[in-house]
């Protein structure tokens, strides 16, 4: 009996550890630097992310991938591995290693986007058209650099006519058939598990803190469990002994399919896609949704248990119509709404939060579908990804959007750190789209998403004093470049937000006190 309890506790302890992002210095939020070069990420960790209090970076897949020239170098070619060599449009192995070390040295964790469900598309042809020239044959299912041969793929198990997933209502085909024609690895094989684990372990040993695991819905939880079980502990140069890699699994579960997020909870965190889809609907005021309904935001909205969730407003798929979430998703293309939605997420205690950092592309809608949803990152004529230039006002140039640098978002990442561990408190709403809430006595935020002014006195729960609103400005030396908020000795403060303000929300926290 005692033995059983011990064994159960050990098991729980092990898997619970894969839910921990191992962030440092009280930092909390990660940013997805989508398609950035390793050299730029290294510089960004040192010059911006660490000083601004960001906890980590999700990087684009570092493995070698197929080169697709039609359409011209789509971003999604990186989701088609041709070898596990660490060589991609973002840089080579040396540059990757340098980035991981430099980010770790300033306390910013690196989380790798791991694409291990499949290799390239079945129509990928044969030759050396990989980013760094590794030969492969999609026709014969041969990837000699690893090596994988046709024995290592699932096609014999798949029972659909096309060999592709045809019906998400059938869990077997979702796991055993090809996702959009991508060659599906047979992860029940010990050999395949070993090769995948070797790839992850190489990255762990280099110092990464964990993984976003791509397309988990398409892998059996038991197979993933076996692979995760082979993962090394994190590198003790930067992490305490016995630390398990942080795992967050991409499972799109909006309800209505047999495969649910729940099947993956014991293995690590899971992406909560309902979060951004609902938040977008609320801020857009679609379907009669109101911000005041978010009083019970989180589990009260039918989201997964708090300790399992990885949350985001938009991701690299649904900001351009891929994946799931639809038109409600709020992206940088709607900056005013995007800033509010991201601020709401960062102010709210639910889940581990991820901020999206995007590149621009030429959107071109025909019948509601963006014809240019494939467009890759800003790049030179020869296909080389452009560096991220930093303008004198701290924004980015050359098509890099850098949402994470926008003052309102950057300051809310700090807000999240300052209020970390404090309970959701002092809720107020006008039964429409004006709401406010605090985090213990450490921070308070007020939103006006109605078409009229907000003018109200609220209990903030904060100690009395003068605070600088970190949305319209920020503390600057002894002063404040934004609105000043006076909190009385009773914790009450007066807020005025015109619906025509550039940003229709206000946030104060313990460290924005003057
Ligand atoms: C490219 C080409 C394809 C070509 C293929 C192979 O575009 O035409 O056949 O190469 O040659 C990315 C791109 C793909 C690209 C792929 C490989 O998005 O366009 O294919 O790289 O280069 C499913 C998966 C999910 C996946 C998502 C895109 O479950 O894992 O599709 N996301 C990840 C990555 C993504 C990447 C891959 C996986 C592949 O983030 O960047 O693809 O590595 C339903 C299901 C979802 C399903 C969606 C979309 O969603 O539930 O599981 O996601 O459909 O198929 C409502 C429902 C919602 C539903 C949604 C859409 O909202 O509530 O559940 O409608 O129907």
């Amino acid at each position: 009996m005692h033995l059983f309890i011990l064994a159960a506790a050990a098991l729980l302890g092990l898997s619970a550890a894969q839910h921990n992002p191992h962030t440092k210095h009280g930092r909390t939020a990660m940013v997805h630097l989508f398609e950035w070069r390793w050299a730029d990420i290294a510089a960004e960790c040192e010059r911006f992310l660490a000083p601004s209090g960001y906890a980590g970076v999700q990087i684009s897949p570092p493995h070698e991938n197929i080169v697709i020239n039609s359409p011209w170098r789509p971003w999604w070619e990186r989701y088609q591995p041709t070898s596990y060599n660490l060589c991609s449009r973002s840089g080579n192995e040396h540059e990757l290693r340098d980035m991981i070390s430099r980010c770790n040295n300033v306390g910013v964790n690196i989380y790798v986007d791991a694409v291990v469900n499949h290799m390239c598309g079945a129509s990928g042809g044969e030759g050396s058209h990989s980013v760094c020239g590794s030969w492969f044959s999609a026709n014969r299912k041969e990837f000699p650099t690893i090596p994988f041969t046709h024995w290592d793929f699932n096609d014999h198990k798949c029972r659909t006519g096309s060999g592709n997933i045809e019906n998400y209502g059938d869990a077997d085909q979702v796991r055993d058939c090809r996702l959009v024609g991508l060659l599906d690895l047979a992860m029940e094989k010990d050999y395949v598990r070993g090769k995948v684990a070797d790839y992850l372990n190489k990255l762990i040993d280099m110092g990464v803190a964990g993984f976003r695991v791509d397309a988990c819905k398409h892998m059996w939880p038991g197979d993933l469990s076996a692979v995760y079980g082979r993962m090394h502990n994190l590198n003790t140069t930067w992490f305490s002994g016995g630390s398990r890699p942080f795992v967050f699994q991409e499972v799109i579960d909006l309800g209505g399919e047999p495969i649910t997020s729940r099947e993956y909870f014991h293995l690590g965190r899971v992406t909560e896609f309902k979060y951004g889809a609902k938040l977008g609907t609320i801020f857009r005021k679609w379907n009669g949704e109101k911000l005041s309904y978010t009083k019970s935001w989180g589990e009260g909205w039918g989201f997964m248990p708090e300790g399992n969730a990885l949350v985001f407003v938009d991701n690299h798929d649904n900001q351009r119509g891929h994946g799931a979430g639809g038109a409600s998703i709020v992206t940088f293309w709607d900056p005013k709404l995007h800033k509010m939605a991201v601020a709401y997420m960062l102010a709210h205690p639910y889940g581990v939060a991820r901020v999206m950092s995007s590149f621009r592309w030429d959107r071109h809608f025909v019948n509601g579908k963006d014809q240019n949803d494939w467009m890759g990152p800003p790049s030179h004529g020869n296909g080389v990804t452009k560096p991220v230039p930093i303008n004198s006002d701290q924004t980015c140039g050359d098509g890099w959007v850098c949402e994470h640098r926008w003052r309102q978002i950057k300051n809310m990442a700090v807000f999240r750190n300052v209020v970390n561990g404090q309970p959701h408190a002092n809720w107020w709403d006008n039964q429409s789209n004006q709401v406010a809430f605090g985090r213990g006595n450490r921070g308070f935020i007020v939103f006006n998403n109605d078409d009229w002014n907000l003018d109200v006195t609220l209990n903030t729960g904060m100690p009395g004093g003068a605070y600088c609103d970190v949305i319209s400005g920020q503390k600057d030396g002894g002063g404040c470049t934004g609105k000043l908020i006076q909190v009385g000795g009773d914790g009450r403060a007066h807020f005025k937000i015109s619906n025509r303000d550039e940003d229709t929300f206000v946030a104060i926290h313990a460290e924005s006190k003057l």
Side-chain angles (χ1 to χ4, degrees):
M1 182 63 181
H2 286 298
L3 251 180
F4 171 77
I5 291 173
L6 273 177
L11 269 177
L12 272 174
L14 256 184
S15 59
Q18 281 163 197
H19 297 76
N20 179 348
H22 301 296
T23 58
K24 305 228 172 77
H25 312 304
R27 299 175 189 164
T28 53
M30 74 169 79
V31 52
H32 179 17
L33 296 180
F34 179 45
E35 286 280 3
W36 280 44
R37 297 156 65 246
W38 309 148
D40 290 317
I41 296 178
E44 189 71 350
C45 284
E46 294 168 344
R47 72 189 166 204
F48 188 82
L49 299 178
S52 307
Y54 280 101
V57 181
Q58 178 185 317
I59 64 169
S60 281
H63 60 71
E64 186 174 11
N65 61 261
I66 191 170
V67 172
I68 291 182
N69 279 313
S70 153
W72 173 242
R73 300 301 297 268
W75 61 267
W76 45 254
E77 67 173 40
R78 298 188 69 169
Y79 290 87
Q80 301 199 26
T82 52
S83 87
Y84 290 150
N85 292 350
L86 298 171
C87 187
S88 67
R89 270 180 121 182
S90 290
N92 60 29
E93 180 169 341
H94 170 77
E95 291 161 318
L96 178 68
R97 191 180 291 278
D98 180 62
M99 172 197 79
I100 295 168
S101 300
R102 285 166 60 192
C103 290
N104 277 333
N105 288 343
V106 292
V108 178
N109 290 345
I110 298 295
Y111 306 106
V112 169
D113 194 345
V115 182
V116 296
N117 169 65
H118 50 263
M119 298 300 283
C120 67
S123 58
E126 178 170 299
S128 302
H129 48 298
S130 293
V131 177
C132 296
S134 290
W135 187 92
F136 67 95
S137 169
N139 311 338
R140 284 182 277 155
K141 293 181 243 176
E142 278 173 18
F143 298 87
T145 312
I146 295 178
F148 286 141
T149 66
H150 69 280
W151 299 109
D152 302 318
F153 292 86
N154 260 339
D155 297 296
H156 61 288
K157 286 173 76 183
C158 171
R159 285 186 225 299
T160 64
S162 62
N164 294 334
I165 298 165
E166 295 173 359
N167 173 12
Y168 274 89
D170 173 354
D172 287 335
Q173 58 172 278
V174 173
R175 263 79 176 249
D176 294 337
C177 298
R178 297 172 177 176
L179 166 61
V180 295
L182 298 159
L183 294 174
D184 201 56
L185 283 168
M187 208 180 260
E188 88 271 14
K189 284 187 66 178
D190 191 63
Y191 176 79
V192 173
R193 291 174 179 177
K195 287 297 174 186
V196 169
D198 288 350
Y199 169 58
L200 302 181
N201 281 333
K202 177 157 187 185
L203 292 159
I204 291 168
D205 295 348
M206 286 167 80
V208 309
F211 302 96
R212 173 228 184 231
V213 186
D214 183 69
C216 284
K217 182 189 277 184
H218 308 282
M219 295 180 276
W220 294 95
D223 292 342
L224 283 173
S225 176
V227 170
Y228 299 160
R230 294 192 189 187
M231 289 191 300
H232 296 168
N233 289 335
L234 297 184
N235 185 321
T236 53
T237 309
W238 296 290
F239 302 95
S240 46
S243 300
R244 296 298 293 154
F246 177 49
V247 169
F248 56 107
Q249 307 166 96
E250 189 225 12
V251 180
I252 299 176
D253 177 2
L254 295 172
E257 289 179 20
I259 299 177
T260 62
S261 300
R262 204 177 312 118
E263 296 176 50
Y264 298 84
F265 288 169
H266 61 297
L267 300 171
R269 287 190 183 246
V270 181
T271 50
E272 179 50 279
F273 274 81
K274 290 174 188 161
Y275 194 100
K278 288 288 180 195
L279 203 55
T281 312
I282 292 159
F283 275 102
R284 291 183 189 281
K285 299 185 257 189
W286 285 358
N287 308 340
E289 292 286 8
K290 291 182 178 151
L291 201 46
S292 57
Y293 299 160
T294 65
K295 185 174 184 181
S296 60
W297 189 242
E299 291 169 27
W301 273 63
F303 301 164
M304 63 183 70
E306 200 281 325
N308 292 108
L310 185 291
V311 299
F312 47 98
V313 169
D314 61 330
N315 78 352
H316 72 281
D317 283 329
N318 64 21
Q319 68 170 200
R320 47 173 55 68
H322 287 235
S328 76
I329 299 298
V330 178
T331 71
F332 70 88
W333 295 107
D334 294 302
K336 193 169 175 175
L337 291 183
H338 190 66
K339 285 180 275 182
M340 273 199 281
V342 173
Y344 195 99
M345 170 181 78
L346 291 173
H348 196 278
Y350 179 84
V352 168
R354 178 181 64 195
V355 171
M356 181 68 202
S357 189
S358 319
F359 58 78
R360 281 174 198 285
W361 70 99
D362 304 325
R363 287 204 301 183
H364 177 57
F365 288 103
V366 177
N367 299 327
K369 189 189 178 304
D370 180 4
Q371 303 301 302
N372 287 338
D373 63 340
W374 58 270
M375 280 191 169
S379 50
H380 298 289
N382 59 1
V384 171
T385 302
K386 284 187 181 171
V388 181
I390 307 299
N391 302 321
S392 57
D393 65 356
Q394 295 303 308
T395 60
C396 303
D398 264 354
W400 299 97
V401 182
C402 290
E403 294 94 311
H404 69 287
R405 279 178 168 255
W406 296 359
R407 182 189 66 242
Q408 299 85 344
I409 291 178
K410 172 195 76 161
N411 287 348
M412 284 307 298
V414 173
F415 180 108
R416 190 174 188 79
N417 297 343
V418 172
V419 303
N420 192 21
Q422 297 287 321
H424 190 260
N426 295 303
W427 175 268
W428 168 84
D429 68 67
N430 70 344
Q431 302 192 325
S432 182
N433 292 291
Q434 300 180 353
V435 306
F437 62 91
R439 296 289 303 278
N441 60 3
R442 299 277 294 167
F444 195 74
I445 190 162
V446 188
F447 293 89
N448 178 11
N449 198 33
D450 273 325
D451 302 326
W452 60 85
N453 296 342
L454 174 150
D455 191 343
V456 68
T457 298
L458 299 173
N459 178 22
T460 66
M462 309 270 291
Y467 291 82
C468 184
D469 167 31
V470 297
I471 304 306
S472 54
Q474 56 200 4
K475 247 168 77 173
D476 186 10
C480 170
T481 60
K483 297 179 187 171
L484 259 187
I485 306 293
Q486 288 290 343
V487 176
D490 58 358
R492 292 169 71 78
H494 186 78
F495 294 92
K496 256 183 125 151
I497 306 177
S498 161
N499 59 315
R500 293 204 195 84
D501 283 353
E502 184 190 340
D503 293 306
T504 56
F505 60 113
V506 164
I508 57 173
H509 58 72
E511 288 175 15
S512 81
K513 193 170 183 204
L514 296 177

